[in-house]
Amino acid sequence: MPSRRRHGGVDKDRPPPMPVAAPLTYPRWIALALARALQADDASPRAREADALQARAEQCLGAEARPWLKPLCVALARWTTPVWRAHSVSSLADALLEIGAFHEGFDRERFPRPTVRRLLLRPSRMRPLPFALEHLALPDWPTEADLAAWLGLTLDELDHFAGPARQYRESVATPQRPHVTPTPHYRCLLVPKRRGGLRLLEAPLPRLRAIQRRLLDGLLNTLPCHEAAHGFVPGRNVATNATVHADQDFVIRFDLRDFFPSIGRARIAATFRTLGFSDAVVDRLTTLCTARTPLPVRERLREGGSIDSDGAKRLASPHLPQGAPTSPALANLCAFPLDLRLDGLAHRFGARYTRYADDLVFSGPATLRRDQRAFRAWVQAIVEDEGFRLRHDKTRAMPRGGRQQVTGIVVNAKPNLAREDFDRLKAELHRLGRSSASGTVDPALRSPLLGRLAWARQFLAPARVEKLQRMFDAIAFDAAR
């Protein structure tokens, strides 16, 4: 089975990894205090030289820590500026815990136990953007107050939508503890699927929706996603997705299970942290864009066979809600590593790759069909390694001899509307035309029909387009209604 190679160790010339929550042990508490002291005033000239770092460290822990602080600060002084600037307090504390000189300070036979004598603090700041993103003009949100002001909220209002209460685990409220159940900000809708089962839509209430829309327009839509992503991307759509796979010998399509719920809080926070926001701002942004599905809704979905136990666990944890304005853009950003690896895999097999939401499509020469067993194993390994799952019942292998269909578009020779879709639209126009012969047709049907005509126009021959247009023009819509 293919596997992803992993490397251990700490590289001082590499930016810090995305931090994860760590238990607050005594060494970590000392590391956090020391990290704050080391970062205090670190933008001043020569502030990151070993002597300057040691002076601030001694103010924090006392002069008696000098013997083991000196080699520690000498090691830190060797870090490059980009690496140093990329660290938050939390990630710098994690890095200190990886350095042997730090742990020497806890040798009780040689040194007294480290204690915090003084906390040195610095104003919150944004970290530099990573390589290739320096050109982005992101909002300046060093603190939670800056984020609240940008959103047009007070800090109390920001607490209402993204405060600690939003992160409580599911529990039963009592008169003594009414706060354990946070105020719901989403309305859950269960929509029947065409092939059976229920689809969960979690729609934010109007006030939260307006906040998320502002985040989408002012931040998320300015960020680049992978070129293979065609869903919910300005300038790309179902047609551009299908065009990539036209006139290919072999097309194979995979489907991701529970795409939005599979993107949890940690992955979203890592995305925001990559953009240089402080941990406090990252926490608020992540909470604004995630939801927990209530227990009764999860039980209804399980009863209907729409989710399994793993799916219920994902919904119980903070996840991207399908129905929030911010979710599609965040999903594309969080899926960037998946797209990057699958695009590289496609290149290795001489194939092409695109993703439209949860649909993964590959196409290429006849050799891809010959090697599809190994190819499927690689796709599954990469998908699972990135934290997603495949729906094997929806995998479709489509050689040139049969119909090759991508997101509803036939791509055997060129992108074309499926015959049954054309016949369905023609039958609808014919029915409404006959109805208008004996009266007028509801004008509310006009705009949807125009949309379907505009969609079909992209893939039909001019003669067919002209025929459909004549049938539409023959419909008499009631102008008085």
Side-chain angles (χ1 to χ4, degrees), residues 170-239:
E170 198 166 53
S171 184
V172 178
T174 65
Q176 294 75 28
R177 303 181 65 209
H179 59 281
V180 298
T181 303
T183 305
H185 292 297
Y186 290 86
R187 184 163 57 98
C188 295
L189 306 173
L190 297 178
V191 182
K193 294 182 180 179
R194 187 170 54 184
R195 298 182 180 179
L198 297 171
R199 184 187 308 280
L200 171 63
L201 296 180
E202 296 174 289
L205 297 182
R207 187 85 188 279
L208 179 59
R209 174 176 288 275
I211 294 171
Q212 292 174 341
R213 175 62 63 180
R214 179 147 172 73
L215 282 174
L216 176 67
D217 295 338
L219 174 64
L220 298 178
N221 276 345
T222 67
L223 305 175
C225 60
H226 195 276
E227 292 82 357
H230 285 256
F232 318 111
V233 181
R236 306 178 207 170
N237 51 37
V238 170

Side-chain angles (χ1 to χ4, degrees), residues 192-451:
K193 294 182 180 179
R194 187 170 54 184
R195 298 182 180 179
L198 297 171
R199 184 187 308 280
L200 171 63
L201 296 180
E202 296 174 289
L205 297 182
R207 187 85 188 279
L208 179 59
R209 174 176 288 275
I211 294 171
Q212 292 174 341
R213 175 62 63 180
R214 179 147 172 73
L215 282 174
L216 176 67
D217 295 338
L219 174 64
L220 298 178
N221 276 345
T222 67
L223 305 175
C225 60
H226 195 276
E227 292 82 357
H230 285 256
F232 318 111
V233 181
R236 306 178 207 170
N237 51 37
V238 170
T240 61
N241 183 60
T243 300
V244 174
H245 305 287
D247 195 26
Q248 297 294 304
D249 289 321
F250 185 69
V251 179
I252 184 167
R253 188 179 74 234
F254 301 88
D255 188 83
L256 296 177
R257 181 185 296 274
D258 302 330
F259 179 54
F260 285 99
S262 295
I263 301 175
R265 183 178 182 88
R267 196 190 302 259
I268 299 165
T271 300
F272 284 129
R273 194 174 287 111
T274 301
L275 301 176
F277 298 117
S278 66
D279 291 342
V281 172
V282 166
D283 182 74
R284 297 300 185 114
L285 288 171
T286 305
T287 305
L288 282 171
C289 298
T290 55
R292 291 179 187 265
T293 306
L295 178 61
V297 178
R298 303 200 307 268
E299 290 179 341
R300 177 69 181 88
L301 289 168
R302 289 204 66 181
E303 290 170 2
S306 300
I307 59 172
D308 55 15
S309 58
D310 287 338
K313 290 179 182 177
R314 293 172 189 262
L315 291 176
S317 302
H319 60 272
L320 280 184
Q322 186 172 356
T326 48
S327 291
L330 269 174
N332 282 335
L333 294 172
C334 292
F336 188 96
L338 173 71
D339 292 334
L340 190 67
R341 296 178 68 186
L342 291 180
D343 189 54
L345 176 68
H347 180 75
R348 171 66 180 80
F349 280 81
R352 305 173 179 184
Y353 162 70
T354 63
R355 179 180 59 80
Y356 192 94
D358 55 0
D359 285 339
L360 314 177
V361 185
F362 300 85
S363 64
T367 54
L368 182 63
R369 181 183 184 185
R370 182 194 66 195
D371 300 331
Q372 68 170 299
R373 182 174 180 179
F375 183 76
R376 289 187 185 209
W378 274 106
V379 170
Q380 179 172 344
I382 291 174
V383 166
E384 292 180 355
D385 193 48
E386 291 294 334
F388 297 95
R389 296 182 299 168
L390 290 176
R391 283 198 59 174
H392 296 287
D393 60 316
K394 284 197 169 184
T395 300
R396 296 289 182 270
M398 298 169 281
R400 186 185 286 274
R403 174 187 285 188
Q404 297 172 327
Q405 193 163 346
V406 174
T407 51
I409 305 301
V410 178
V411 294
N412 286 70
K414 62 179 182 178
N416 196 7
L417 195 68
R419 180 57 187 254
E420 58 267 25
D421 292 338
F422 172 77
D423 290 341
R424 193 178 299 114
L425 177 58
K426 184 174 71 172
E428 179 72 6
L429 292 172
H430 179 70
R431 181 184 68 82
L432 292 175
R434 294 186 61 181
S435 298
S436 64
S438 56
T440 55
V441 176
D442 186 353
L445 298 176
R446 179 183 176 87
S447 293
L449 281 175
L450 282 174

Side-chain angles (χ1 to χ4, degrees), residues 124-182:
S124 181
R125 69 188 180 200
M126 292 185 62
R127 294 184 295 277
L129 288 169
F131 177 73
L133 295 182
E134 305 97 328
H135 65 284
L136 295 178
L138 300 183
D140 187 21
W141 299 332
T143 67
E144 298 163 272
D146 296 306
L147 171 62
W150 188 87
L151 291 172
L153 305 173
T154 66
L155 280 174
D156 286 342
E157 289 174 324
L158 184 61
D159 268 339
H160 175 68
F161 291 106
R166 301 298 308 158
Q167 301 179 32
Y168 289 150
R169 292 185 179 274
E170 198 166 53
S171 184
V172 178
T174 65
Q176 294 75 28
R177 303 181 65 209
H179 59 281
V180 298
T181 303

